Amino acid sequence: MLYDLSFLEKDKIFPPRSEMPRLEGYRQNKLLFEHRLQDVYAPYLERIRQIINKFNDTDWAKMSYDIYSLDFDYFELLSIKTADLTVGDPPTITMKKRQLTQEEIDNDGESIAEEAHKTAEDNLNAICSNSCLYIKLLPIVVDISRFGDSVVRIYSELKNGKERNNFTIISPEMWFPVVDREIKENRLYDVLAWIECINPEEEEQKQRFILKTQIHSAGQFESREYEAKRLDGNYTLPDGTTCNQPRFKIGNLLRQGNPIQTGLSASAIRNFSNVVSSDSIFGINDYDRISAIIAELGVRYTLESLVLDKHTAPTMAADASNFYQDARGQWTANIGGVMPVDTGKPYPQYITWDASLQANHTMIEKLEKHLYSLSEMGAVLNDDSFGASQGFEALETRMTNARLKARRISSLMITPLKELISLLSEKGYTVIPMDEISVQFNDGLPLTENQEVNIALKKSGNTQLEDISTILQEHLGKSKEEADAIAEILKSSQLNAFASGFAPFPQGTEDGEGDQTPINGGEEPIDEG
């Protein structure tokens, strides 16, 4: 971890030593996500070569670079499916309703409060829409899965003559947070730093580099540029492995800009993290625990493919009398025509290799079982789970680990998401305090309307609900306008649909007419859970 800005001083090495393991992990996980396993699993490729040399005279130099078995998409699939379960069904973000005092109710303050709530909801919806918040949540969760952290930067933009806040997702490779030594949760600075080559067309020895930085703190940031000289050789990590991350020696300060005010009450750099250990500020990624398993699976599949390619080609067997020499003097058999077969002599036939690879198959099955368990996504990565499910409850049971993982990530995202929305509202919108925002995540599994109703009932304890509109939006998929209209109907008719068995829920039709038929015929709802 970094505790001050001294790592940006002249003659220091960038990236700092303490950040090298993290950056090397980012580099490797990015390659795995892009299906470039050969660039990460070089030791396993060498292991395959040594095994092949024991029983095969194959010229390794002539074998293709992508010999490393199939293109395993587990890494990409793992991250995308994690994002699907967490935010594939976008979270419901609403404004909390303020409880009215008895004096306000007596003075007919309900209508004023309703109008104020509608205005606040419109303001919130404008922030989410203009910033494309729901669309950007998917890559945010993908980065949380593959890197452990997702970093966003809030910036000001001028659109339609109006200045307002927006945000963009940046790579955590550029992010160097500086924290307090005693309380690591206290962020002193968020430094964005990256290397740029100013003459990329030149030969490598003649290339020149610049280190560009942005030092963000609460309400402002400062830009600096330094000379940078690339160092030769690779860096060795504490565990003895070689790091291919390039390193540079910082030179003279070329430019230092004046502090730029962001107008924000906090730093413009925000981060979403996976689970964080007590001795770190960075989240744990999903790839480290399964990387060795997938690498070994690649070895198993590769060796099996090579053995089968070499030994399963069919060979013709025939009696000696069926062979003849062709014009080039080579012996062959007239397999496309008629062959004489004497009594008691064997018929011509193909011989195929029928050796067993059961031990290899058993190892593959064990590795895949560990993969499904350690990734917590067994039912998602293994499609057989869906075919074996008997009904929705069985599917829910099989998806327990995956749903728990999605719930863990979503719970970690709630506070940073509220902070992000609150900061976005500070320019171009009406400011929204964090504690007035409600965020409801979904687990991505499809639910029937009856299941949604039962969930809403259980949350309310089967009692009268104060905020029917929010419940309709979160659990029945109604838009803000539809939910408010239904709530108004229920209010005007002095009925509470949840407490009286959902009797008056209007069902919308294509022509806008409302069907007032009670759900379940006015009977008490059946609890299927």
Side-chain angles (χ1 to χ4, degrees):
M1 289 185 284
L2 301 172
Y3 302 106
D4 53 46
L5 296 176
S6 62
F7 72 97
L8 294 177
E9 294 176 352
K10 183 180 178 180
D11 294 333
K12 290 295 180 70
I13 305 300
F14 178 85
R17 182 189 304 270
S18 63
E19 304 300 298
M20 291 301 289
R22 172 175 71 96
L23 297 178
E24 178 64 11
Y26 290 164
R27 187 189 71 84
Q28 292 188 7
N29 289 358
K30 184 177 179 181
L31 293 173
L32 294 174
F33 183 81
E34 296 172 351
H35 315 157
R36 295 168 60 183
L37 276 68
Q38 297 86 351
D39 295 330
V40 179
Y41 293 149
Y44 289 88
L45 284 171
E46 176 65 18
R47 181 176 164 212
I48 293 174
R49 185 186 69 82
Q50 293 176 355
I51 295 175
I52 291 177
N53 287 342
K54 294 179 179 179
F55 62 88
N56 196 349
D57 57 357
T58 302
D59 185 355
W60 181 261
K62 294 181 180 179
M63 304 190 77
S64 63
Y65 176 71
D66 59 351
I67 183 180
Y68 191 62
S69 189
L70 310 175
D71 181 10
F72 285 106
D73 287 340
Y74 282 121
F75 295 104
E76 179 191 32
L77 182 65
L78 172 63
S79 294
I80 291 178
K81 290 301 182 183
T82 299
D84 286 341
L85 282 174
T86 308
V87 293
D89 186 4
T92 303
I93 305 175
T94 58
M95 296 294 296
K96 295 179 181 177
K97 279 194 172 182
R98 183 175 65 86
Q99 291 288 344
L100 299 179
T101 64
Q102 187 60 45
E103 181 180 355
E104 289 175 319
I105 296 175
D106 295 339
N107 294 330
D108 196 23
E110 290 183 88
S111 59
I112 299 176
E114 285 292 335
E115 184 63 29
H117 182 74
K118 182 179 183 304
T119 302
E121 285 279 4
D122 292 340
N123 180 56
L124 175 62
N125 292 336
I127 295 172
C128 296
S129 175
N130 294 335
S131 64
C132 300
L133 176 68
Y134 295 110
I135 296 175
K136 294 175 182 177
L137 286 177
L138 279 167
I140 284 175
V141 179
V142 168
D143 277 3
I144 290 175
S145 174
R146 62 177 180 162
F147 296 139
D149 293 279
S150 180
V151 183
V152 303
R153 179 195 171 195
I154 300 173
Y155 65 94
S156 178
E157 64 177 0
L158 185 63
K159 196 167 185 179
N160 298 327
K162 183 178 180 181
E163 193 173 12
R164 65 190 183 195
N165 283 332
N166 202 337
F167 75 97
T168 184
I169 305 170
I170 60 177
S171 172
E173 296 171 297
M174 303 167 55
W175 180 50
F176 297 86
V178 178
V179 300
D180 189 296
R181 285 184 179 273
E182 295 184 3
I183 305 175
K184 64 183 177 65
E185 288 78 15
N186 288 347
R187 192 84 54 79
L188 304 179
Y189 302 98
D190 287 289
V191 179
L192 301 184
W194 65 97
I195 295 289
E196 283 192 7
C197 180
I198 60 177
N199 56 342
E201 303 300 326
E202 295 288 341
E203 296 179 3
E204 185 173 339
Q205 296 78 4
K206 298 180 180 180
Q207 289 179 347
R208 296 177 56 204
F209 300 92
I210 292 179
L211 170 62
K212 293 190 173 184
T213 66
Q214 289 181 0
I215 304 173
H216 289 259
S217 56
Q220 66 178 22
F221 73 92
E222 175 188 304
S223 297
R224 298 180 189 176
E225 292 183 4
Y226 300 84
E227 291 180 342
K229 181 181 179 181
R230 182 163 184 168
L231 301 179
D232 297 329
N234 293 323
Y235 176 75
T236 302
L237 295 174
D239 62 359
T241 59
T242 300
C243 173
N244 294 319
Q245 187 78 23
R247 303 189 80 197
F248 299 82
K249 185 176 181 179
I250 300 177
N252 294 323
L253 177 65
L254 300 177
R255 186 183 69 84
Q256 181 172 358
N258 294 324
I260 298 176
Q261 303 300 317
T262 62
L264 302 175
S265 59
S267 170
I269 306 301
R270 316 309 303 169
N271 68 294
F272 297 79
S273 296
N274 208 331
V275 176
V276 178
S277 61
S278 61
D279 59 349
S280 176
I281 60 173
F282 302 106
I284 300 171
N285 66 76
D286 290 341
Y287 290 6
D288 288 350
R289 70 174 71 173
I290 64 171
S291 182
I293 295 177
I294 294 181
E296 185 64 22
L297 274 173
V299 173
R300 295 293 109 202
Y301 277 113
T302 299
L303 293 177
E304 183 164 311
S305 296
L306 291 173
V307 169
L308 293 176
D309 287 345
K310 179 175 178 60
H311 297 290
T312 57
T315 301
M316 186 69 184
D319 186 75
S321 61
N322 294 321
F323 286 86
Y324 68 94
Q325 282 184 303
D326 59 18
R328 293 176 295 178
Q330 295 180 342
W331 288 95
T332 184
N334 186 22
I335 59 176
V338 179
M339 292 182 178
V341 178
D342 296 334
T343 302
K345 294 294 181 68
Y347 286 95
Q349 58 183 320
Y350 279 103
I351 299 176
T352 57
W353 182 68
D354 194 27
S356 174
L357 290 171
Q358 185 58 44
N360 195 52
H361 295 165
T362 301
M363 177 60 70
I364 288 175
E365 290 175 1
K366 290 182 178 179
L367 289 171
E368 288 179 338
K369 182 178 179 180
H370 289 307
L371 170 64
Y372 298 150
S373 175
L374 291 177
S375 68
E376 301 179 89
M377 301 290 281
V380 177
L381 298 180
N382 183 9
D383 290 340
D384 293 341
S385 299
F386 295 99
S389 297
Q390 301 295 324
F392 187 82
E393 292 185 356
L395 176 61
E396 281 188 313
T397 301
R398 291 178 178 274
M399 295 286 288
T400 297
N401 284 342
R403 295 176 72 194
L404 289 175
K405 178 183 179 181
R407 182 184 300 176
R408 180 173 65 245
I409 294 176
S410 62
S411 65
L412 293 171
M413 290 180 63
I414 289 178
T415 299
L417 184 56
K418 289 182 178 181
E419 290 177 348
L420 176 61
I421 294 173
S422 181
L423 289 172
L424 287 173
S425 72
E426 293 183 351
K427 182 179 289 186
Y429 306 95
T430 301
V431 177
I432 305 176
M434 274 185 56
D435 57 4
E436 293 184 8
I437 303 172
S438 173
V439 178
Q440 173 73 33
F441 279 89
N442 306 303
D443 63 6
L445 289 183
L447 297 176
T448 65
E449 187 169 295
N450 283 339
Q451 289 164 332
E452 290 281 18
V453 169
N454 285 332
I455 292 174
L457 266 174
K458 290 175 181 178
K459 282 190 174 183
S460 66
N462 288 293
T463 61
Q464 183 172 352
L465 295 175
E466 296 295 334
D467 191 359
I468 296 174
S469 178
T470 299
I471 292 294
L472 292 174
Q473 293 176 64
E474 291 182 350
H475 297 286
L476 296 181
K478 302 296 184 183
S479 67
K480 178 67 169 59
E481 293 74 16
E482 291 173 335
D484 287 344
I486 295 173
E488 186 63 31
I489 292 173
L490 298 177
K491 179 181 175 182
S492 62
S493 60
Q494 299 298 313
L495 293 174
N496 187 318
F498 291 94
S500 60
F502 318 103
F505 265 35
Q507 302 298 309
T509 58
E510 292 183 0
D511 59 1
E513 298 286 311
D515 181 6
Q516 300 295 325
T517 304
I519 295 178
N520 293 338
E523 300 289 339
E524 287 295 323
I526 299 174
D527 186 354
E528 298 177 354

